[in-house]
Amino acid sequence: MPTLVTGAFSLLNDALTWILYLIPAASGAAIGYHALMKQMGDGDPSVTAAHNRAIRNVLIAGAIGMSAASLVKVVLAYFK
């Protein structure tokens, strides 16, 4: 394999590894923030609903991001 292809392969693999570590950490921080803000909302139904929606969106986005990055890593592993 040419050096450029090998370097790009390594760069993509390393970047995806970082992404697979960062997504759960960022999602956990965002969920923690929204849970805290929901708790500090003093039971206001609109605040609670907004933060529940935000938590659901973070969970969905995290799952999509982890799935996409994992799928690309599986494809890269096949070509290695």
Side-chain angles (χ1 to χ4, degrees):
M1 238 189 298
T3 306
L4 180 65
V5 173
T6 305
F9 179 83
S10 296
L11 176 66
L12 187 57
N13 195 26
D14 292 343
L16 287 171
T17 300
W18 272 99
I19 287 172
L20 286 173
Y21 287 128
L22 290 175
I23 288 175
S27 295
I31 289 169
Y33 168 77
H34 286 293
L36 178 65
M37 290 296 111
K38 182 173 87 167
Q39 186 176 6
M40 293 176 64
D42 293 331
D44 184 6
S46 63
V47 171
T48 300
H51 287 292
N52 282 339
R53 259 191 321 275
I55 290 171
R56 187 185 73 233
N57 289 341
V58 168
L59 286 171
I60 291 170
I64 291 171
M66 290 292 289
S67 299
S70 299
L71 182 64
V72 172
K73 280 191 69 86
V74 166
V75 170
L76 284 177
Y78 176 75
F79 287 110
K80 189 171 189 175

